[in-house]
Amino acid sequence: MRKIAPGLPCALLTAAVLTLTTAVSASAAGPSASPPASRSAEESRPLAAADVQDLTGIARAYLRQRADSVTLAGAKRLAPVTPERATPALKQSLAKEFAQLAEQGRAYEKASGGYSRAEVAVTPGKAEQKGDRATLRLTETTSLLYPNVRSADEPKAEEYTLDHTLTFTRDAAGAWVLASDRPDIGTGDVTTYNTPPRTEQPTGDAGDTGGTKNEGPRPAASGTERPPAGTPADEKAKTGKSALAAGYDYTAMVNYANRYWQHPNGAYRTYGNDCTNFVSQAMKAGGWKKKGSGFFDRKDRDKWYYGDHTWTTSYTWGGAENWFWFARKYSQRAKPLSNVWQMALGDVLQADWDRDNTIDHTMIVTGFSGTSEIYLTYHTSNTHNRKLTNLLAKYPHAWWYAHRT
């Protein structure tokens, strides 16, 4: 099994550049964030309501500043605006992160027009205190609005939701200040199967414990060059609605993704890396039939099914690499597209971030504006209607695999 930096999800596997849609802030809290030794053994206790309100306000202001950094206004600032109520160590770290986000914002502006503004809401959860240190868990829901939306059918914003665990400490005056932010962005292990145990070998490796061997070289990745303006789309792309080809209902696929992108369907388990599990659910909603069942079929790449337990669910259901081979080769339920700009509603896009011939991430098309823009929705982190243009600008060195479903 190969490892990546702890805490980075399948959807956003780039350690060198921060991304707004994960709101990553793994900054050290610095010496001032550590509680005095005399208090370290104190029991945790719930925070008073007034303190919860105070910490929520600090967190909301911080997350708004972070989101604003990538917008058109933030990208034009000469210097980033950092939270007033934060430790000195965190302020210093956030200044660098916000500057990187502004650089991303300038790249997005050049590629697609960028984001006009950000709208941020937070929902506080569990809050507790231990000595002079407090912890607040909350859910961030952010919309990054697109400028120059041309039609009522075009998505108005990229949306994402993300859980955070924030820590706070007291400053010299006794007021609470933000010390660190740990976002919940999925597990750090990238595997070609969907669940633990982690001791098993990924299918397709030399020490393979399952899967089908001798699959041959992976087909060529899809091209990313945008077609010339006015290039006609194919029939499925032109209709942009339910076209029951091979019994598949693309509208049902898209409706499922639009409904459950933020709050997962309780009828299914949610995994640390949940992107392919989410897309498989959408495919099932659109008419894909299960193939196989039980414990003994689960490692076969020519099987695809969801079971009542992790050990009775196929690897192809929730593993991006396994899904590729089932969809593309063994079932032929998905057809290769030579260019990502050929995708239409209900199609699937997969990414190999570092070109190591192991697919890392799976997304579904939920918005479509001909060859001018395509919008992707995915889990890990939960994101709705992200522009393909921005993804290509963010990850210019990835290999992309576009599938006609």
Side-chain angles (χ1 to χ4, degrees):
M1 180 188 304
R2 64 192 180 95
K3 299 281 187 179
I4 62 172
L8 292 181
C10 62
L12 299 155
L13 180 59
T14 298
V17 182
L18 297 170
T19 175
L20 178 66
T21 54
T22 56
V24 173
S25 178
S27 309
S32 61
S34 299
S38 61
R39 295 181 176 267
S40 61
E42 291 187 12
E43 293 293 328
S44 296
R45 64 183 188 277
L47 269 173
D51 284 331
V52 173
Q53 185 176 6
D54 187 27
L55 300 190
T56 301
I58 297 171
R60 183 185 296 110
Y62 149 66
L63 291 171
R64 283 176 175 170
Q65 288 173 328
R66 175 179 286 280
D68 187 60
S69 296
V70 80
T71 65
L72 298 176
K76 289 178 171 60
R77 290 196 185 101
L78 297 178
V81 177
T82 56
E84 291 184 8
R85 297 181 64 180
T87 63
L90 185 58
K91 285 183 180 181
Q92 183 177 8
S93 178
L94 289 179
K96 296 178 182 178
E97 293 183 14
F98 288 8
Q100 289 177 296
L101 288 171
E103 184 178 354
Q104 289 181 24
R106 289 187 287 273
Y108 295 150
E109 182 180 7
K110 182 178 180 181
S112 68
Y115 304 109
S116 59
R117 60 188 175 89
E119 296 178 351
V120 179
V122 298
T123 304
K126 184 178 181 180
E128 57 187 4
Q129 180 179 355
K130 185 177 182 180
D132 287 333
R133 192 178 183 88
T135 301
L136 172 66
R137 295 182 176 87
L138 61 76
T139 299
E140 171 197 4
T141 302
T142 292
S143 297
L144 297 170
L145 278 70
Y146 295 129
N148 304 320
V149 176
R150 292 179 292 273
S151 69
D153 296 333
E154 191 174 345
K156 306 299 187 293
E158 172 188 326
E159 303 171 280
Y160 67 87
T161 183
L162 187 63
D163 292 332
H164 296 258
T165 300
L166 302 110
T167 58
F168 300 81
T169 189
R170 300 281 191 180
D171 64 12
W176 289 115
V177 291
L178 181 64
S180 68
D181 171 20
R182 187 176 75 249
D184 181 8
I185 51 179
T187 62
D189 293 331
V190 173
T191 67
T192 56
Y193 51 86
N194 60 344
T195 63
R198 299 296 189 187
T199 55
E200 296 184 11
Q201 291 291 326
T203 59
D205 281 3
D208 198 341
T209 59
T212 305
K213 296 202 172 63
N214 301 319
E215 288 164 322
R218 184 185 303 285
S222 303
T224 60
E225 184 177 352
R226 190 191 296 270
T231 301
D234 62 28
E235 285 303 312
K236 180 185 173 187
K238 283 193 295 185
T239 59
K241 59 184 181 182
S242 177
L244 293 174
Y248 303 147
D249 187 338
Y250 303 116
T251 296
M253 294 176 184
V254 172
N255 287 344
Y256 186 95
N258 285 334
R259 180 177 180 182
Y260 292 110
W261 75 268
Q262 183 177 14
H263 303 294
N265 186 347
Y268 294 92
R269 291 179 297 278
T270 300
Y271 299 115
N273 282 334
D274 199 55
C275 57
T276 307
N277 175 38
F278 173 65
V279 168
S280 282
Q281 293 171 32
M283 295 299 102
K284 183 175 181 293
W288 280 30
K289 304 300 183 184
K290 77 171 191 174
K291 183 180 180 184
S293 64
F295 175 81
F296 295 103
D297 285 347
R298 67 186 183 128
K299 296 177 182 178
D300 294 341
R301 290 186 178 176
D302 62 347
K303 303 296 192 298
W304 179 83
Y305 58 91
Y306 181 84
D308 292 336
H309 307 282
T310 57
W311 58 88
T312 58
T313 297
S314 69
Y315 288 177
T316 57
W317 179 274
E321 174 75 8
N322 305 67
W323 190 96
F324 174 96
W325 290 107
F326 172 79
R328 179 77 69 90
K329 179 176 181 179
Y330 292 107
S331 70
Q332 297 186 345
R333 295 181 184 181
K335 306 298 182 184
L337 295 174
S338 60
N339 191 289
V340 296
W341 292 102
Q342 295 171 339
M343 292 190 300
L345 294 173
D347 286 341
V348 171
L349 180 64
Q350 294 189 291
D352 177 356
W353 301 125
D354 51 8
R355 299 191 179 193
D356 67 347
N357 287 310
T358 299
I359 290 178
D360 302 296
H361 184 47
T362 310
M363 300 165 275
I364 182 172
V365 176
T366 50
F368 173 79
S369 298
T371 56
S372 62
E373 194 56 80
I374 291 171
Y375 300 83
L376 285 304
T377 294
Y378 50 88
H379 276 186
T380 318
S381 298
N382 296 352
T383 301
H384 187 223
N385 288 330
R386 189 174 189 185
K387 286 184 177 181
L388 174 60
T389 306
N390 288 347
L391 279 168
L392 297 178
K394 173 68 178 171
Y395 305 106
H397 302 298
W399 279 340
W400 305 94
Y401 296 90
H403 308 279
R404 169 59 39 81
T405 58

